[in-house]
Amino acid sequence: MAAPEPHHLFHHPIADHSFSADRQTLAVARDINVELYHRSEGKFILHDELKGHDKTVTGVDVASTGRIVTCSQDRNAYVWEPSSSGWKPTLVLLRINRAATFVRWSPSGLKFAVGSGARVIAVCYFEEENDWWVSKHLKKPIKSTITTVAWHPNSVLLAAGSTDAHARVFSSFIKGVDERPESSVWGERLPFNTVCGEYLNNSAGWVHGCAFSPSGNALAFAAHDSSITIVYPNGPEQPPKAIVSMSTQLLPFMSLIWSGESEIIAAGHDCEVYRLRGNQQGWQITGSMEMKGKSGLGSQREESALNMFRQLDLKGSAKDDTLLKSVHQNTITTIRTYDESDGNVKRFSNVNWYGLRSLELGLFSRRQEFSSELQSQSYLDFEHGGNYDAKSSLFQVEYAVKAVESGNTAIGIRCKDGVILAAEKIIGSKLLKPGANRRIASVDRNVGIISSGLLPDGKHFVTRARDEAASWRSTYKNPIPIAALASRLGSYVQAYTLYSSVRPFGVTSIVGGWDSEAELAVDGQVGSGPLIGSGGKVEGTRAGGPGLYMIEPSGSYWGYYGAATGKGRQTAKAELEKLDLAAGTLSLEEGVKEAARIIHIAHEDTKDKDFELEMTWISTILGPTKGKHEEVPKQILEEAEKYAKKAMEGEDDEEDKPAEDGEKMEE
């Protein structure tokens, strides 16, 4: 196999790609648009761009007639036809209430199928009488999101894989559009929505890819349990001749195509393209189609002395051994036939997506039949959720921290007789109503929470905190302890860093409250002897006290005497450290004044913008709030702000005061 010839296109994730029939035009789904590249002198040059969707494009396909179909998370599809003024789009109403996930033209080019998260497949065709595109739904017995579809050579049968671990074969016969298909092993009479076959993956894993053999007499599908299943049907209402399920020790395959009746080409999370051969008696992997011994396209660079020292400093090794020994450095998501003859694939293309930073077109050749392959090279960028970089840190969590660092300043102070929460609320418009859009919220009667970062994330976080508090109260008939609430919320936030389907919370939250110190009827202490009363109660024993925790986007949470987050956190932390809060001598009334002063000082960096001080407190059951989370009274808050402004003016006077006589200045 010859070495690849990379063709750099752009730096952005891709979802799908397709070539025109003459293989001179390449359509690539990029974000909310589709880019068209024209091949000229061995290079792919950007020629046009299809704009119409307002959410991420999830699928693109070019028909043999030259039409292009696209589908998107906006639940719509467009058919693009070439005209003298460019590409003319026609909106196709799919009538679905979830995102479209996959699209493919039929071999005839007269209709296309769109998979979706709405548990339906929309089969779309053009109605000449009304001059529009119409969609009909394949529904039963689909029970989950459609992940992939594949057409039979007769353009009537349609295979689909879904997240309910099933691969199914449907009839999509449209009267007036399709010719009546001949009898086959899949059935004789095939009205629309006839289920010709339904097959379950052995381990109930998601089906990622499926394809019919060139004759259409066999179906192969790849599932998330690293298996490929090949089905040989035996006729209508008859059990299959054979179902061959081949388990592998590789990572799961994402896509596959047939090359003849006895060969399959598959690729996926192992970042390599594999050949499989077999028949009804059995299938096996014959090997990888890539040359080994070199670490990706990005490894062919000069190992300078500077680079060697850089690797030693970063990773403790002079050699960068993070690159894989394959052309692809990340998951291969799609394989498409590029050139074929009599059902035998001569060329094929494939792309990857996860963590993609650069798309490359690499041409491969093999002496017998394979000669080109679309490559997308990532240089081993682990930016997708759930993956680590070389320093064992999560990029997505770091981005969430960056969002917090640009948020409004928020602080929490633990006093000897209560807890104070304070926030700087920037007034972005003079039309905003004072006191509205509050940043501090009550979770339970004795707990408050304040967040800095993305405001919608903070509101969702408050809702979750209230659910946890309500669950605890329902189970234990008491308010939730502050430590228990922080633990539950920390676990909830950490779960959002584990999966690629979600993103971390873009907020850091400070949770403050007062656990009631009232004497409990039964405090959980049990034993025997003269000091133990009935029911295991120790007379006179009291619990509770102030609690202050800060929960970070990673899910880590810590107990604090004073906590600060947001853009002014460094200044606020420095001021909090001066208060010696660990000594436990600061009273609640003094803490209100200090909180106001610290917020004003931290606001100095953005003093060109007006802000509103928001502050709440929680005291002991004998204090001003009777153990409840409440707003600081307006009169006390105004006095605290006067104190803060006066303190700041005093600091300015000290800085402007000239040196006294006899005082020497150091040069």
Side-chain angles (χ1 to χ4, degrees):
M1 182 184 297
E5 301 173 7
H7 299 268
H8 182 75
L9 296 182
F10 53 75
H11 294 271
H12 203 279
I14 60 173
D16 201 2
H17 77 288
S18 182
F19 283 93
S20 61
D22 60 4
R23 297 182 291 279
Q24 295 302 305
T25 300
L26 168 64
V28 177
R30 175 179 179 178
D31 199 15
I32 63 173
N33 302 321
V34 173
E35 294 185 350
L36 301 181
Y37 291 84
H38 185 72
R39 191 178 183 104
S40 176
E41 298 180 355
K43 297 181 180 180
F44 284 91
I45 301 173
L46 182 61
H47 177 69
D48 207 344
E49 193 171 15
L50 308 182
K51 299 181 179 180
H53 294 287
D54 56 12
K55 292 187 182 299
T56 302
V57 176
T58 55
V60 60
D61 198 24
V62 183
S64 57
T65 59
R67 291 170 171 168
I68 298 176
V69 62
T70 60
C71 69
S72 166
Q73 293 177 0
D74 61 9
R75 301 173 295 174
N76 292 321
Y78 280 96
V79 174
W80 306 78
E81 299 185 71
S83 65
S84 57
S85 59
W87 290 89
K88 177 185 176 182
T90 302
L91 177 65
V92 183
L93 297 178
L94 302 177
R95 300 183 294 116
I96 56 178
N97 58 7
R98 295 291 187 272
T101 57
F102 203 86
V103 64
R104 287 295 182 264
W105 283 103
S106 65
S108 65
L110 299 178
K111 59 184 181 180
F112 59 88
V114 181
S116 72
R119 299 182 294 179
V120 300
I121 303 172
V123 178
C124 307
Y125 61 96
F126 190 73
E127 197 173 73
E128 297 284 353
E129 182 179 354
N130 296 311
D131 192 27
W132 61 9
W133 286 87
V134 180
S135 63
K136 292 184 68 175
H137 287 174
L138 297 171
K139 296 181 179 180
K140 297 181 180 180
I142 302 172
K143 299 178 181 179
S144 189
T145 298
I146 300 298
T147 55
T148 181
V149 297
W151 286 96
H152 190 277
N154 65 11
S155 296
V156 173
L157 296 176
L158 180 69
S162 59
T163 57
D164 61 2
H166 282 80
R168 300 179 176 92
V169 178
F170 299 92
S171 170
S172 65
F173 178 77
I174 305 293
K175 187 176 181 180
V177 176
D178 298 314
E179 296 181 1
R180 181 70 62 179
E182 298 179 358
S183 298
S184 69
V185 293
W186 296 104
E188 297 176 356
R189 299 179 55 120
L190 299 172
F192 188 83
N193 206 28
T194 299
V195 180
C196 304
E198 184 174 11
Y199 310 101
L200 176 65
N201 172 255
N202 292 336
S203 301
W206 288 14
V207 176
H208 293 303
C210 62
F212 283 103
S213 64
S215 66
N217 293 332
L219 172 70
F221 60 91
H224 200 66
D225 62 349
S226 302
S227 70
I228 291 182
T229 302
I230 301 91
V231 180
Y232 295 91
N234 193 28
E237 299 182 2
Q238 297 292 327
K241 294 180 183 177
I243 298 180
V244 181
S245 183
M246 184 188 65
S247 298
T248 71
Q249 299 300 315
L250 304 173
L251 295 178
F253 294 104
M254 295 293 293
S255 183
L256 55 84
I257 57 175
W258 289 76
S259 177
E261 295 294 324
S262 60
E263 185 171 82
I264 293 175
I265 302 168
H269 289 285
D270 250 319
C271 312
E272 292 188 52
V273 180
Y274 290 91
R275 297 177 61 190
L276 300 84
R277 285 183 173 174
N279 50 38
Q280 297 182 28
Q281 281 68 48
W283 282 76
Q284 63 180 358
I285 295 178
T286 59
S288 171
M289 298 188 63
E290 299 187 12
M291 296 177 63
K292 294 297 185 67
K294 296 184 179 181
S295 298
L297 298 176
S299 65
Q300 301 191 16
R301 59 191 176 117
E302 183 180 356
E303 288 292 340
S304 63
L306 175 61
N307 183 64
M308 292 176 64
F309 280 112
R310 183 179 293 131
Q311 295 298 326
L312 279 170
D313 179 52
L314 292 176
K315 303 175 183 178
S317 173
K319 183 179 180 181
D320 186 0
D321 58 356
T322 59
L323 293 177
L324 302 178
K325 293 183 179 180
S326 60
V327 176
H328 285 284
Q329 296 296 297
N330 231 314
T331 300
I332 300 172
T333 57
T334 309
I335 294 182
R336 303 292 299 269
T337 299
Y338 182 80
D339 188 14
E340 65 176 343
S341 176
D342 297 328
N344 293 315
V345 176
K346 294 182 177 180
R347 302 179 179 182
F348 62 90
S349 63
N350 60 62
V351 295
N352 67 9
W353 184 47
Y354 297 112
L356 187 65
R357 299 301 290 175
S358 63
L359 172 65
E360 308 227 355
L361 181 67
L363 300 182
F364 285 76
S365 63
R366 189 162 60 85
R367 291 183 179 179
Q368 297 178 354
E369 45 193 36
F370 296 94
S371 59
S372 81
E373 181 173 1
L374 182 72
Q375 302 295 333
S376 66
Q377 172 68 24
S378 69
Y379 300 113
L380 203 59
D381 185 348
F382 292 98
E383 290 193 13
H384 199 263
N387 291 319
Y388 297 90
D389 70 348
K391 297 182 180 179
S392 297
S393 60
L394 286 167
F395 277 129
Q396 293 295 332
V397 172
E398 292 181 2
Y399 296 155
V401 172
K402 291 293 184 182
V404 173
E405 291 176 355
S406 61
N408 295 339
T409 305
I411 65 171
I413 301 177
R414 176 175 167 174
C415 306
K416 66 179 181 180
D417 51 354
V419 174
I420 298 168
L421 300 176
E424 164 204 42
K425 188 165 64 177
I426 299 296
I427 302 176
S429 171
K430 294 181 180 180
L431 300 177
L432 289 175
K433 179 182 177 182
N437 307 310
R438 301 192 63 81
R439 298 292 190 270
I440 308 176
S442 293
V443 174
D444 203 338
R445 60 184 297 175
N446 65 318
V447 186
I449 188 170
I450 181 173
S451 301
S452 179
L454 301 180
L455 185 57
D457 287 18
K459 290 182 176 180
H460 175 80
F461 192 70
V462 169
T463 301
R464 179 66 184 192
R466 287 170 175 167
D467 290 343
E468 294 290 354
S471 173
W472 182 282
R473 185 179 285 273
S474 174
T475 303
Y476 300 105
K477 314 304 179 187
N478 281 314
I480 186 170
I482 313 304
L485 178 63
S487 176
R488 291 189 175 195
L489 292 178
S491 298
Y492 182 70
V493 171
Q494 193 264 342
Y496 274 71
T497 68
L498 300 178
Y499 308 102
S500 60
S501 58
V502 294
R503 63 166 176 82
F505 280 86
V507 291
T508 292
S509 299
I510 300 174
V511 179
W514 185 277
D515 293 330
S516 176
E517 74 277 27
E519 187 173 336
L520 303 177
V522 177
D523 61 10
Q525 299 186 46
V526 295
S528 60
L531 299 179
I532 304 300
S534 60
K537 176 179 176 296
V538 180
E539 297 293 341
T541 299
R542 295 175 183 269
L548 184 69
Y549 292 84
M550 187 162 71
I551 304 167
E552 300 173 355
S554 64
S556 299
Y557 66 95
W558 311 91
Y560 286 91
Y561 289 106
T565 185
K567 67 178 69 175
R569 68 193 180 286
Q570 297 295 347
T571 303
K573 286 180 180 178
E575 294 298 323
L576 287 170
E577 290 173 357
K578 296 177 183 178
L579 299 179
D580 192 19
L581 297 173
T585 57
L586 187 70
S587 66
L588 200 61
E589 290 75 11
E590 294 171 342
V592 170
K593 295 180 179 179
E594 293 297 337
R597 181 182 67 85
I598 292 172
I599 291 293
H600 276 77
I601 293 175
H603 180 71
E604 279 296 290
D605 294 337
T606 56
K607 59 183 177 182
D608 56 322
K609 295 183 180 179
D610 293 332
F611 81 99
E612 181 180 342
L613 177 61
E614 184 178 338
M615 192 182 304
T616 60
W617 59 359
I618 312 105
S619 73
T620 68
I621 58 175
L622 301 177
T625 72
K626 309 300 182 184
K628 298 180 181 179
H629 176 242
E630 297 178 352
E631 292 183 44
V632 174
K634 185 176 180 180
Q635 181 180 355
I636 297 177
L637 186 60
E638 289 175 351
E639 292 178 359
E641 289 204 82
K642 290 179 182 179
Y643 168 83
K645 294 175 181 178
K646 185 176 181 181
M648 291 182 64
E649 291 174 359
E651 291 181 1
D652 293 339
D653 293 342
E654 288 293 330
E655 293 177 358
D656 297 336
K657 185 177 180 180
E660 297 181 359
D661 295 339
E663 183 178 359
K664 297 182 180 181
M665 303 292 290
E666 292 184 1
E667 295 184 359

